[in-house]
Amino acid sequence: MSSSTELTEKKVFLLKSLDGVIFEVEESVAVQLEVIRELIEGDCARPFISLYNVTSEILALVIEYCKHHAETCSGGTSATIADEDLKTFDNEFMNVDENILLELCSAADYLDIKSLFELTCRTLASLIKDRTIIEVRKMFNVENDFSVVEEKAVRKEFAWAFK
Amino acid sequence: MLPPDMISEILSRLPVKTLLRFRCVERTWCSIIDSQSFVQLHLHQSMTTNSYHNLILGSREGLYSVDLDSIDKAQLIEPPVSSKGFDCISNSCNGLILVMSDPLVPPVLWNPLLRKYKILPDAAIEYLAPLLCLSKVFYGLGYDSRNNDYKVVRAFEFCNQTSRAWVCSGTEIYSLKLNSWNVVPVLPNMI
């Protein structure tokens, strides 16, 4: 007969960030990262999985997110309470610096975590909705590559949208 | 800098008016927003998340648009071509509507959120004889997903000008891609 420790033992995986920090995560967390699902299912995740595009700061946040979602969904609470709990968590989780938010969005895209990608995209969209063009350029770190004449022409096409 | 695919995803969650402003951010953003694939993505987002939906209502005073996210106020909107104060509008299809003002005048395909319109060409069927007149015209707007085309169906009937008796009916289909009307087999009966 197998011992009780064996029965309750959870499978863990090691994830290595871009800057070399190794995180230990349970299977319920790891499977949310679609990008490594195949490695996990094919048992090719030893000794650790390198995630080249994610820094330890961001990976720690991603793991926190996945952990909370895994625990809430398996917690045995009713679906409505779990839903409410996740909503509250998501709202608080999005209360971070804009640059972190952009990096989280990028990481969610790379790691293929659909719910986190949706959440970050939605949050970024509502953040920029009422911003000026100059503020948006600054936030996304893009240069204005229109000439003065060209920008004027683009603006003129839908001048009413600027009122 | 974020890759264009990610920018598209973020932008697809914004209302049309904001997108029209953001065309000025830089060239890449402008070409993303103007692209056919982005239009599809934006439409898909709006439909799956039920966001940025507008209800357009016609009354004797004109057309009103109600933003379903803030349903407490209606905004009077100007149809692109207004005849005698009252315009008839068709069903909506992916944010487009048809505006009809007079049965003898071709309808106008209108995108109220972009404030852009296109006057459709004259219909294919000419008036059969001077003694006949159009008694009924119906329009319907639809999207042909197989050809990624918008189509307008126009069904009408002619009656005798003096007796008002029904003479014949007809149907035509307009294709936006071809920008022309095509006659389809005639309806044998009255509409």
Side-chain angles (χ1 to χ4, degrees), chain A residues 102 105-106 109 118 125 128-129 131 133 136-137 141 143 145-146 150 154 157-158 160-161 163, chain B residues 1-2 6 9-10 13-15 17-18 20-27 29 113-116:
Chain A
L102 284 165
C105 182
S106 196
D109 188 29
E118 169 60 38
I128 61 174
K129 190 172 154 250
R131 292 210 178 165
I133 305 291
V136 172
R137 280 183 192 137
N141 193 23
E143 291 277 329
D145 53 1
F146 288 115
E150 284 170 336
V154 176
E157 283 175 65
F158 295 98
W160 57 267
K163 283 172 194 160
Chain B
M1 246 169 52
L2 299 181
M6 253 181 73
E9 285 289 342
I10 297 167
R13 289 158 174 86
L14 287 168
K17 199 175 172 186
T18 306
L20 296 178
R21 276 199 307 123
F22 287 0
R23 289 170 79 245
C24 282
V25 169
E26 56 151 358
R27 281 176 204 277
W29 281 44
L113 287 180
L114 285 185
R115 302 193 189 177
K116 284 202 157 187

mmCIF file of all heavy atoms in Angstrom, chain A residues 102 105-106 109 118 125 128-129 131 133 136-137 141 143 145-146 150 154 157-158 160-161 163, chain B residues 1-2 6 9-10 13-15 17-18 20-27 29 113-116:
data_model
loop_
_atom_site.group_PDB
_atom_site.id
_atom_site.type_symbol
_atom_site.label_atom_id
_atom_site.label_comp_id
_atom_site.label_asym_id
_atom_site.label_seq_id
_atom_site.Cartn_x
_atom_site.Cartn_y
_atom_site.Cartn_z
ATOM 1 N N LEU A 102 2.306 46.699 -18.920
ATOM 2 C CA LEU A 102 2.716 46.393 -20.290
ATOM 3 C C LEU A 102 3.554 45.110 -20.333
ATOM 4 O O LEU A 102 3.369 44.262 -21.210
ATOM 5 C CB LEU A 102 3.516 47.555 -20.882
ATOM 6 C CG LEU A 102 2.697 48.770 -21.320
ATOM 7 C CD1 LEU A 102 3.588 49.984 -21.542
ATOM 8 C CD2 LEU A 102 1.915 48.470 -22.591
ATOM 9 N N CYS A 105 1.332 42.105 -19.792
ATOM 10 C CA CYS A 105 0.566 41.815 -21.010
ATOM 11 C C CYS A 105 1.444 41.037 -21.995
ATOM 12 O O CYS A 105 1.025 40.028 -22.581
ATOM 13 C CB CYS A 105 0.086 43.124 -21.609
ATOM 14 S SG CYS A 105 -0.915 42.939 -23.070
ATOM 15 N N SER A 106 2.672 41.513 -22.130
ATOM 16 C CA SER A 106 3.629 40.871 -23.019
ATOM 17 C C SER A 106 3.929 39.444 -22.550
ATOM 18 O O SER A 106 3.978 38.504 -23.357
ATOM 19 C CB SER A 106 4.886 41.738 -22.978
ATOM 20 O OG SER A 106 5.715 41.442 -24.008
ATOM 21 N N ASP A 109 1.062 37.105 -23.174
ATOM 22 C CA ASP A 109 1.019 36.755 -24.589
ATOM 23 C C ASP A 109 2.050 35.646 -24.875
ATOM 24 O O ASP A 109 1.724 34.612 -25.466
ATOM 25 C CB ASP A 109 1.331 38.013 -25.411
ATOM 26 C CG ASP A 109 1.131 37.806 -26.893
ATOM 27 O OD1 ASP A 109 0.285 36.977 -27.264
ATOM 28 O OD2 ASP A 109 1.818 38.469 -27.686
ATOM 29 N N GLU A 118 -6.234 38.667 -21.655
ATOM 30 C CA GLU A 118 -7.496 39.407 -21.800
ATOM 31 C C GLU A 118 -7.572 40.514 -20.738
ATOM 32 O O GLU A 118 -7.895 41.660 -21.038
ATOM 33 C CB GLU A 118 -8.661 38.412 -21.671
ATOM 34 C CG GLU A 118 -10.055 38.993 -21.536
ATOM 35 C CD GLU A 118 -10.462 39.861 -22.713
ATOM 36 O OE1 GLU A 118 -10.100 39.503 -23.838
ATOM 37 O OE2 GLU A 118 -11.133 40.894 -22.487
ATOM 38 N N ALA A 125 -6.422 49.081 -22.302
ATOM 39 C CA ALA A 125 -7.348 49.815 -23.169
ATOM 40 C C ALA A 125 -8.108 50.866 -22.361
ATOM 41 O O ALA A 125 -8.220 52.021 -22.784
ATOM 42 C CB ALA A 125 -8.314 48.866 -23.861
ATOM 43 N N ILE A 128 -5.879 53.919 -21.514
ATOM 44 C CA ILE A 128 -5.480 54.868 -22.563
ATOM 45 C C ILE A 128 -6.668 55.531 -23.265
ATOM 46 O O ILE A 128 -6.472 56.483 -24.009
ATOM 47 C CB ILE A 128 -4.560 54.215 -23.635
ATOM 48 C CG1 ILE A 128 -5.260 53.051 -24.358
ATOM 49 C CG2 ILE A 128 -3.265 53.753 -23.014
ATOM 50 C CD1 ILE A 128 -4.445 52.487 -25.522
ATOM 51 N N LYS A 129 -7.855 55.000 -23.001
ATOM 52 C CA LYS A 129 -9.045 55.445 -23.743
ATOM 53 C C LYS A 129 -9.159 56.969 -23.865
ATOM 54 O O LYS A 129 -9.449 57.483 -24.950
ATOM 55 C CB LYS A 129 -10.285 54.871 -23.057
ATOM 56 C CG LYS A 129 -11.557 55.045 -23.814
ATOM 57 C CD LYS A 129 -12.685 54.263 -23.153
ATOM 58 C CE LYS A 129 -14.005 54.884 -23.481
ATOM 59 N NZ LYS A 129 -14.671 55.536 -22.363
ATOM 60 N N ARG A 131 -6.746 59.222 -23.112
ATOM 61 C CA ARG A 131 -5.457 59.924 -23.100
ATOM 62 C C ARG A 131 -5.197 60.679 -24.394
ATOM 63 O O ARG A 131 -5.748 60.347 -25.441
ATOM 64 C CB ARG A 131 -4.329 58.924 -22.872
ATOM 65 C CG ARG A 131 -4.415 58.360 -21.473
ATOM 66 C CD ARG A 131 -3.074 58.005 -20.956
ATOM 67 N NE ARG A 131 -3.258 57.513 -19.603
ATOM 68 C CZ ARG A 131 -2.352 56.853 -18.935
ATOM 69 N NH1 ARG A 131 -1.195 56.587 -19.491
ATOM 70 N NH2 ARG A 131 -2.592 56.445 -17.709
ATOM 71 N N ILE A 133 -2.765 61.978 -27.575
ATOM 72 C CA ILE A 133 -1.835 61.282 -28.467
ATOM 73 C C ILE A 133 -0.421 61.290 -27.858
ATOM 74 O O ILE A 133 0.278 60.270 -27.868
ATOM 75 C CB ILE A 133 -1.803 61.973 -29.854
ATOM 76 C CG1 ILE A 133 -3.208 62.081 -30.437
ATOM 77 C CG2 ILE A 133 -0.851 61.283 -30.809
ATOM 78 C CD1 ILE A 133 -3.828 60.816 -30.844
ATOM 79 N N VAL A 136 -0.073 58.846 -25.041
ATOM 80 C CA VAL A 136 -0.056 57.455 -25.523
ATOM 81 C C VAL A 136 1.318 57.110 -26.105
ATOM 82 O O VAL A 136 1.861 56.039 -25.845
ATOM 83 C CB VAL A 136 -1.180 57.222 -26.558
ATOM 84 C CG1 VAL A 136 -1.063 55.859 -27.212
ATOM 85 C CG2 VAL A 136 -2.540 57.349 -25.896
ATOM 86 N N ARG A 137 1.880 58.060 -26.885
ATOM 87 C CA ARG A 137 3.222 57.826 -27.458
ATOM 88 C C ARG A 137 4.220 57.565 -26.350
ATOM 89 O O ARG A 137 5.053 56.662 -26.444
ATOM 90 C CB ARG A 137 3.670 59.054 -28.250
ATOM 91 C CG ARG A 137 3.054 59.127 -29.628
ATOM 92 C CD ARG A 137 3.594 60.339 -30.379
ATOM 93 N NE ARG A 137 2.819 60.590 -31.579
ATOM 94 C CZ ARG A 137 2.437 61.792 -31.981
ATOM 95 N NH1 ARG A 137 2.740 62.868 -31.270
ATOM 96 N NH2 ARG A 137 1.736 61.931 -33.086
ATOM 97 N N ASN A 141 6.115 54.146 -25.636
ATOM 98 C CA ASN A 141 7.491 54.379 -26.069
ATOM 99 C C ASN A 141 7.626 54.355 -27.599
ATOM 100 O O ASN A 141 8.482 53.669 -28.138
ATOM 101 C CB ASN A 141 8.393 53.314 -25.414
ATOM 102 C CG ASN A 141 9.859 53.649 -25.530
ATOM 103 O OD1 ASN A 141 10.202 54.821 -25.690
ATOM 104 N ND2 ASN A 141 10.714 52.636 -25.477
ATOM 105 N N GLU A 143 7.794 56.734 -31.229
ATOM 106 C CA GLU A 143 8.135 58.047 -31.777
ATOM 107 C C GLU A 143 7.088 58.441 -32.807
ATOM 108 O O GLU A 143 6.599 57.583 -33.551
ATOM 109 C CB GLU A 143 9.483 57.949 -32.505
ATOM 110 C CG GLU A 143 10.671 57.738 -31.595
ATOM 111 C CD GLU A 143 11.178 59.043 -30.987
ATOM 112 O OE1 GLU A 143 11.048 60.083 -31.671
ATOM 113 O OE2 GLU A 143 11.678 59.000 -29.854
ATOM 114 N N ASP A 145 6.372 59.295 -36.163
ATOM 115 C CA ASP A 145 7.119 59.245 -37.422
ATOM 116 C C ASP A 145 6.378 59.905 -38.579
ATOM 117 O O ASP A 145 6.736 59.726 -39.742
ATOM 118 C CB ASP A 145 7.539 57.804 -37.765
ATOM 119 C CG ASP A 145 6.361 56.841 -37.761
ATOM 120 O OD1 ASP A 145 5.223 57.293 -37.509
ATOM 121 O OD2 ASP A 145 6.567 55.643 -37.997
ATOM 122 N N PHE A 146 5.346 60.685 -38.251
ATOM 123 C CA PHE A 146 4.662 61.477 -39.291
ATOM 124 C C PHE A 146 5.362 62.827 -39.407
ATOM 125 O O PHE A 146 5.827 63.366 -38.402
ATOM 126 C CB PHE A 146 3.213 61.769 -38.871
ATOM 127 C CG PHE A 146 2.289 60.595 -38.920
ATOM 128 C CD1 PHE A 146 1.717 60.086 -37.750
ATOM 129 C CD2 PHE A 146 1.952 60.002 -40.127
ATOM 130 C CE1 PHE A 146 0.834 59.011 -37.789
ATOM 131 C CE2 PHE A 146 1.068 58.931 -40.168
ATOM 132 C CZ PHE A 146 0.520 58.433 -38.996
ATOM 133 N N GLU A 150 1.892 65.491 -42.765
ATOM 134 C CA GLU A 150 1.189 64.195 -42.775
ATOM 135 C C GLU A 150 0.263 64.062 -41.563
ATOM 136 O O GLU A 150 -0.877 63.620 -41.690
ATOM 137 C CB GLU A 150 2.212 63.047 -42.738
ATOM 138 C CG GLU A 150 2.918 62.802 -44.051
ATOM 139 C CD GLU A 150 4.074 61.824 -43.899
ATOM 140 O OE1 GLU A 150 4.619 61.682 -42.786
ATOM 141 O OE2 GLU A 150 4.444 61.230 -44.904
ATOM 142 N N VAL A 154 -3.762 63.296 -41.533
ATOM 143 C CA VAL A 154 -4.395 62.149 -40.876
ATOM 144 C C VAL A 154 -5.467 62.642 -39.893
ATOM 145 O O VAL A 154 -6.552 62.086 -39.787
ATOM 146 C CB VAL A 154 -3.338 61.273 -40.143
ATOM 147 C CG1 VAL A 154 -4.002 60.144 -39.383
ATOM 148 C CG2 VAL A 154 -2.337 60.707 -41.136
ATOM 149 N N GLU A 157 -8.769 63.831 -41.574
ATOM 150 C CA GLU A 157 -9.692 62.811 -42.095
ATOM 151 C C GLU A 157 -10.868 62.566 -41.157
ATOM 152 O O GLU A 157 -11.970 62.264 -41.586
ATOM 153 C CB GLU A 157 -8.930 61.489 -42.314
ATOM 154 C CG GLU A 157 -8.077 61.480 -43.555
ATOM 155 C CD GLU A 157 -7.272 60.202 -43.650
ATOM 156 O OE1 GLU A 157 -7.885 59.130 -43.804
ATOM 157 O OE2 GLU A 157 -6.021 60.279 -43.530
ATOM 158 N N PHE A 158 -10.584 62.636 -39.849
ATOM 159 C CA PHE A 158 -11.659 62.459 -38.864
ATOM 160 C C PHE A 158 -11.549 63.563 -37.812
ATOM 161 O O PHE A 158 -11.447 63.275 -36.615
ATOM 162 C CB PHE A 158 -11.583 61.077 -38.207
ATOM 163 C CG PHE A 158 -11.815 59.943 -39.157
ATOM 164 C CD1 PHE A 158 -10.754 59.245 -39.713
ATOM 165 C CD2 PHE A 158 -13.109 59.581 -39.530
ATOM 166 C CE1 PHE A 158 -10.965 58.208 -40.612
ATOM 167 C CE2 PHE A 158 -13.336 58.544 -40.427
ATOM 168 C CZ PHE A 158 -12.257 57.854 -40.962
ATOM 169 N N TRP A 160 -13.591 65.489 -36.475
ATOM 170 C CA TRP A 160 -14.622 65.509 -35.434
ATOM 171 C C TRP A 160 -14.268 64.612 -34.239
ATOM 172 O O TRP A 160 -14.741 64.838 -33.124
ATOM 173 C CB TRP A 160 -15.986 65.120 -36.019
ATOM 174 C CG TRP A 160 -15.987 63.772 -36.704
ATOM 175 C CD1 TRP A 160 -15.776 63.536 -38.028
ATOM 176 C CD2 TRP A 160 -16.176 62.492 -36.106
ATOM 177 N NE1 TRP A 160 -15.823 62.205 -38.296
ATOM 178 C CE2 TRP A 160 -16.088 61.526 -37.138
ATOM 179 C CE3 TRP A 160 -16.445 62.059 -34.807
ATOM 180 C CZ2 TRP A 160 -16.225 60.166 -36.897
ATOM 181 C CZ3 TRP A 160 -16.589 60.694 -34.572
ATOM 182 C CH2 TRP A 160 -16.477 59.765 -35.614
ATOM 183 N N ALA A 161 -13.434 63.594 -34.468
ATOM 184 C CA ALA A 161 -13.099 62.672 -33.378
ATOM 185 C C ALA A 161 -12.200 63.327 -32.332
ATOM 186 O O ALA A 161 -12.042 62.820 -31.229
ATOM 187 C CB ALA A 161 -12.416 61.431 -33.942
ATOM 188 N N LYS A 163 -12.754 66.333 -31.166
ATOM 189 C CA LYS A 163 -13.512 67.346 -30.401
ATOM 190 C C LYS A 163 -14.071 66.752 -29.126
ATOM 191 O O LYS A 163 -14.438 65.601 -29.103
ATOM 192 C CB LYS A 163 -14.631 67.903 -31.271
ATOM 193 C CG LYS A 163 -14.081 68.896 -32.270
ATOM 194 C CD LYS A 163 -15.152 69.301 -33.275
ATOM 195 C CE LYS A 163 -14.503 70.004 -34.462
ATOM 196 N NZ LYS A 163 -15.357 69.986 -35.633
ATOM 197 N N MET B 1 9.284 48.424 -27.205
ATOM 198 C CA MET B 1 8.088 48.558 -28.040
ATOM 199 C C MET B 1 7.361 47.222 -28.183
ATOM 200 O O MET B 1 8.004 46.188 -28.321
ATOM 201 C CB MET B 1 8.485 49.086 -29.413
ATOM 202 C CG MET B 1 7.921 50.456 -29.644
ATOM 203 S SD MET B 1 8.588 51.281 -31.073
ATOM 204 C CE MET B 1 8.370 50.081 -32.367
ATOM 205 N N LEU B 2 6.048 47.272 -28.129
ATOM 206 C CA LEU B 2 5.285 46.016 -28.212
ATOM 207 C C LEU B 2 5.119 45.585 -29.674
ATOM 208 O O LEU B 2 5.052 46.421 -30.567
ATOM 209 C CB LEU B 2 3.901 46.228 -27.596
ATOM 210 C CG LEU B 2 3.835 46.621 -26.120
ATOM 211 C CD1 LEU B 2 2.390 46.748 -25.694
ATOM 212 C CD2 LEU B 2 4.543 45.615 -25.248
ATOM 213 N N MET B 6 0.167 42.555 -30.527
ATOM 214 C CA MET B 6 -0.288 42.915 -29.181
ATOM 215 C C MET B 6 -0.962 44.274 -29.164
ATOM 216 O O MET B 6 -1.962 44.473 -28.485
ATOM 217 C CB MET B 6 0.911 42.929 -28.237
ATOM 218 C CG MET B 6 0.900 41.744 -27.306
ATOM 219 S SD MET B 6 2.308 41.847 -26.239
ATOM 220 C CE MET B 6 1.810 43.158 -25.175
ATOM 221 N N GLU B 9 -4.412 43.820 -30.332
ATOM 222 C CA GLU B 9 -5.289 43.253 -29.301
ATOM 223 C C GLU B 9 -5.746 44.323 -28.314
ATOM 224 O O GLU B 9 -6.906 44.365 -27.934
ATOM 225 C CB GLU B 9 -4.576 42.114 -28.557
ATOM 226 C CG GLU B 9 -4.477 40.826 -29.355
ATOM 227 C CD GLU B 9 -5.833 40.126 -29.518
ATOM 228 O OE1 GLU B 9 -6.763 40.431 -28.757
ATOM 229 O OE2 GLU B 9 -5.938 39.286 -30.432
ATOM 230 N N ILE B 10 -4.816 45.182 -27.906
ATOM 231 C CA ILE B 10 -5.178 46.242 -26.948
ATOM 232 C C ILE B 10 -6.139 47.232 -27.624
ATOM 233 O O ILE B 10 -7.191 47.557 -27.079
ATOM 234 C CB ILE B 10 -3.922 46.972 -26.419
ATOM 235 C CG1 ILE B 10 -3.032 45.978 -25.650
ATOM 236 C CG2 ILE B 10 -4.305 48.143 -25.514
ATOM 237 C CD1 ILE B 10 -1.633 46.493 -25.341
ATOM 238 N N ARG B 13 -9.975 46.745 -28.132
ATOM 239 C CA ARG B 13 -10.894 46.903 -27.002
ATOM 240 C C ARG B 13 -11.262 48.374 -26.759
ATOM 241 O O ARG B 13 -11.765 48.719 -25.702
ATOM 242 C CB ARG B 13 -10.270 46.279 -25.752
ATOM 243 C CG ARG B 13 -10.239 44.747 -25.846
ATOM 244 C CD ARG B 13 -9.201 44.133 -24.946
ATOM 245 N NE ARG B 13 -9.279 42.681 -24.936
ATOM 246 C CZ ARG B 13 -8.682 41.883 -25.825
ATOM 247 N NH1 ARG B 13 -7.991 42.401 -26.818
ATOM 248 N NH2 ARG B 13 -8.795 40.573 -25.732
ATOM 249 N N LEU B 14 -10.994 49.215 -27.737
ATOM 250 C CA LEU B 14 -11.294 50.647 -27.608
ATOM 251 C C LEU B 14 -12.479 51.048 -28.475
ATOM 252 O O LEU B 14 -12.733 50.423 -29.503
ATOM 253 C CB LEU B 14 -10.064 51.464 -28.039
ATOM 254 C CG LEU B 14 -8.883 51.465 -27.062
ATOM 255 C CD1 LEU B 14 -7.654 52.054 -27.730
ATOM 256 C CD2 LEU B 14 -9.217 52.232 -25.800
ATOM 257 N N PRO B 15 -13.178 52.131 -28.085
ATOM 258 C CA PRO B 15 -14.284 52.583 -28.932
ATOM 259 C C PRO B 15 -13.772 53.225 -30.229
ATOM 260 O O PRO B 15 -12.622 53.673 -30.296
ATOM 261 C CB PRO B 15 -14.995 53.620 -28.065
ATOM 262 C CG PRO B 15 -14.018 54.023 -27.035
ATOM 263 C CD PRO B 15 -13.056 52.900 -26.854
ATOM 264 N N LYS B 17 -14.298 56.060 -31.750
ATOM 265 C CA LYS B 17 -13.855 57.454 -31.733
ATOM 266 C C LYS B 17 -12.413 57.568 -31.233
ATOM 267 O O LYS B 17 -11.616 58.341 -31.780
ATOM 268 C CB LYS B 17 -14.807 58.285 -30.855
ATOM 269 C CG LYS B 17 -14.713 59.758 -31.131
ATOM 270 C CD LYS B 17 -15.729 60.549 -30.346
ATOM 271 C CE LYS B 17 -15.451 62.029 -30.527
ATOM 272 N NZ LYS B 17 -16.300 62.864 -29.700
ATOM 273 N N THR B 18 -12.083 56.793 -30.210
ATOM 274 C CA THR B 18 -10.704 56.801 -29.691
ATOM 275 C C THR B 18 -9.745 56.280 -30.757
ATOM 276 O O THR B 18 -8.658 56.823 -30.948
ATOM 277 C CB THR B 18 -10.609 55.919 -28.424
ATOM 278 O OG1 THR B 18 -11.586 56.356 -27.496
ATOM 279 C CG2 THR B 18 -9.242 55.991 -27.789
ATOM 280 N N LEU B 20 -10.013 56.475 -33.954
ATOM 281 C CA LEU B 20 -9.816 57.466 -35.012
ATOM 282 C C LEU B 20 -8.790 58.511 -34.576
ATOM 283 O O LEU B 20 -8.008 59.003 -35.380
ATOM 284 C CB LEU B 20 -11.148 58.130 -35.376
ATOM 285 C CG LEU B 20 -12.198 57.180 -35.981
ATOM 286 C CD1 LEU B 20 -13.490 57.923 -36.245
ATOM 287 C CD2 LEU B 20 -11.692 56.541 -37.259
ATOM 288 N N ARG B 21 -8.763 58.816 -33.279
ATOM 289 C CA ARG B 21 -7.736 59.735 -32.757
ATOM 290 C C ARG B 21 -6.368 59.067 -32.786
ATOM 291 O O ARG B 21 -5.379 59.652 -33.188
ATOM 292 C CB ARG B 21 -8.065 60.100 -31.301
ATOM 293 C CG ARG B 21 -9.039 61.221 -31.137
ATOM 294 C CD ARG B 21 -8.980 61.826 -29.744
ATOM 295 N NE ARG B 21 -9.118 60.863 -28.659
ATOM 296 C CZ ARG B 21 -8.222 60.701 -27.690
ATOM 297 N NH1 ARG B 21 -7.114 61.421 -27.681
ATOM 298 N NH2 ARG B 21 -8.426 59.813 -26.728
ATOM 299 N N PHE B 22 -6.339 57.797 -32.365
ATOM 300 C CA PHE B 22 -5.062 57.092 -32.225
ATOM 301 C C PHE B 22 -4.393 56.751 -33.560
ATOM 302 O O PHE B 22 -3.270 56.258 -33.582
ATOM 303 C CB PHE B 22 -5.227 55.832 -31.361
ATOM 304 C CG PHE B 22 -5.403 56.131 -29.896
ATOM 305 C CD1 PHE B 22 -5.405 57.443 -29.433
ATOM 306 C CD2 PHE B 22 -5.559 55.109 -28.970
ATOM 307 C CE1 PHE B 22 -5.571 57.727 -28.079
ATOM 308 C CE2 PHE B 22 -5.720 55.392 -27.614
ATOM 309 C CZ PHE B 22 -5.733 56.702 -27.178
ATOM 310 N N ARG B 23 -5.075 57.016 -34.661
ATOM 311 C CA ARG B 23 -4.412 56.850 -35.969
ATOM 312 C C ARG B 23 -3.232 57.813 -36.076
ATOM 313 O O ARG B 23 -2.340 57.631 -36.882
ATOM 314 C CB ARG B 23 -5.410 57.125 -37.106
ATOM 315 C CG ARG B 23 -6.470 56.044 -37.263
ATOM 316 C CD ARG B 23 -7.558 56.470 -38.228
ATOM 317 N NE ARG B 23 -7.145 56.329 -39.619
ATOM 318 C CZ ARG B 23 -7.004 57.356 -40.446
ATOM 319 N NH1 ARG B 23 -7.229 58.585 -40.028
ATOM 320 N NH2 ARG B 23 -6.644 57.149 -41.697
ATOM 321 N N CYS B 24 -3.262 58.880 -35.245
ATOM 322 C CA CYS B 24 -2.204 59.899 -35.283
ATOM 323 C C CYS B 24 -0.981 59.527 -34.451
ATOM 324 O O CYS B 24 -0.006 60.266 -34.466
ATOM 325 C CB CYS B 24 -2.734 61.217 -34.748
ATOM 326 S SG CYS B 24 -3.710 62.077 -35.927
ATOM 327 N N VAL B 25 -1.025 58.452 -33.693
ATOM 328 C CA VAL B 25 0.085 58.110 -32.797
ATOM 329 C C VAL B 25 1.373 57.894 -33.605
ATOM 330 O O VAL B 25 2.390 58.505 -33.338
ATOM 331 C CB VAL B 25 -0.259 56.890 -31.913
ATOM 332 C CG1 VAL B 25 0.966 56.371 -31.179
ATOM 333 C CG2 VAL B 25 -1.353 57.263 -30.914
ATOM 334 N N GLU B 26 1.302 57.019 -34.574
ATOM 335 C CA GLU B 26 2.452 56.777 -35.470
ATOM 336 C C GLU B 26 1.950 55.989 -36.684
ATOM 337 O O GLU B 26 0.830 55.501 -36.698
ATOM 338 C CB GLU B 26 3.571 56.020 -34.747
ATOM 339 C CG GLU B 26 3.108 54.700 -34.138
ATOM 340 C CD GLU B 26 4.201 53.639 -34.051
ATOM 341 O OE1 GLU B 26 5.331 53.885 -34.496
ATOM 342 O OE2 GLU B 26 3.896 52.554 -33.545
ATOM 343 N N ARG B 27 2.828 55.825 -37.656
ATOM 344 C CA ARG B 27 2.430 55.133 -38.887
ATOM 345 C C ARG B 27 1.924 53.709 -38.643
ATOM 346 O O ARG B 27 0.917 53.286 -39.205
ATOM 347 C CB ARG B 27 3.615 55.046 -39.842
ATOM 348 C CG ARG B 27 3.877 56.316 -40.589
ATOM 349 C CD ARG B 27 5.135 56.144 -41.418
ATOM 350 N NE ARG B 27 5.754 57.427 -41.695
ATOM 351 C CZ ARG B 27 5.379 58.216 -42.689
ATOM 352 N NH1 ARG B 27 4.426 57.863 -43.493
ATOM 353 N NH2 ARG B 27 5.968 59.384 -42.869
ATOM 354 N N TRP B 29 0.593 52.358 -35.973
ATOM 355 C CA TRP B 29 -0.737 52.351 -35.358
ATOM 356 C C TRP B 29 -1.804 52.689 -36.398
ATOM 357 O O TRP B 29 -2.871 52.083 -36.423
ATOM 358 C CB TRP B 29 -0.804 53.360 -34.196
ATOM 359 C CG TRP B 29 -0.178 52.854 -32.938
ATOM 360 C CD1 TRP B 29 1.013 52.187 -32.845
ATOM 361 C CD2 TRP B 29 -0.689 52.957 -31.605
ATOM 362 N NE1 TRP B 29 1.270 51.894 -31.529
ATOM 363 C CE2 TRP B 29 0.252 52.349 -30.756
ATOM 364 C CE3 TRP B 29 -1.839 53.511 -31.050
ATOM 365 C CZ2 TRP B 29 0.067 52.275 -29.372
ATOM 366 C CZ3 TRP B 29 -2.026 53.450 -29.667
ATOM 367 C CH2 TRP B 29 -1.085 52.836 -28.848
ATOM 368 N N LEU B 113 -20.853 55.369 -36.998
ATOM 369 C CA LEU B 113 -19.749 55.596 -36.066
ATOM 370 C C LEU B 113 -18.540 56.228 -36.743
ATOM 371 O O LEU B 113 -17.791 56.972 -36.135
ATOM 372 C CB LEU B 113 -19.344 54.294 -35.364
ATOM 373 C CG LEU B 113 -20.342 53.800 -34.314
ATOM 374 C CD1 LEU B 113 -19.854 52.522 -33.687
ATOM 375 C CD2 LEU B 113 -20.563 54.853 -33.235
ATOM 376 N N LEU B 114 -18.353 55.917 -38.020
ATOM 377 C CA LEU B 114 -17.245 56.535 -38.772
ATOM 378 C C LEU B 114 -17.696 57.809 -39.463
ATOM 379 O O LEU B 114 -16.891 58.556 -40.001
ATOM 380 C CB LEU B 114 -16.710 55.570 -39.841
ATOM 381 C CG LEU B 114 -15.838 54.402 -39.413
ATOM 382 C CD1 LEU B 114 -15.321 53.671 -40.647
ATOM 383 C CD2 LEU B 114 -14.655 54.878 -38.596
ATOM 384 N N ARG B 115 -19.015 58.014 -39.473
ATOM 385 C CA ARG B 115 -19.645 59.134 -40.202
ATOM 386 C C ARG B 115 -19.254 59.095 -41.680
ATOM 387 O O ARG B 115 -18.930 60.125 -42.274
ATOM 388 C CB ARG B 115 -19.272 60.477 -39.577
ATOM 389 C CG ARG B 115 -19.660 60.568 -38.109
ATOM 390 C CD ARG B 115 -19.588 61.969 -37.604
ATOM 391 N NE ARG B 115 -19.767 61.995 -36.161
ATOM 392 C CZ ARG B 115 -19.687 63.092 -35.427
ATOM 393 N NH1 ARG B 115 -19.460 64.244 -36.006
ATOM 394 N NH2 ARG B 115 -19.852 63.036 -34.130
ATOM 395 N N LYS B 116 -19.226 57.903 -42.236
ATOM 396 C CA LYS B 116 -18.908 57.757 -43.651
ATOM 397 C C LYS B 116 -20.112 57.141 -44.356
ATOM 398 O O LYS B 116 -20.840 56.349 -43.751
ATOM 399 C CB LYS B 116 -17.691 56.853 -43.828
ATOM 400 C CG LYS B 116 -16.397 57.566 -43.497
ATOM 401 C CD LYS B 116 -15.231 56.883 -44.167
ATOM 402 C CE LYS B 116 -14.082 57.827 -44.333
ATOM 403 N NZ LYS B 116 -12.998 57.296 -45.104
#
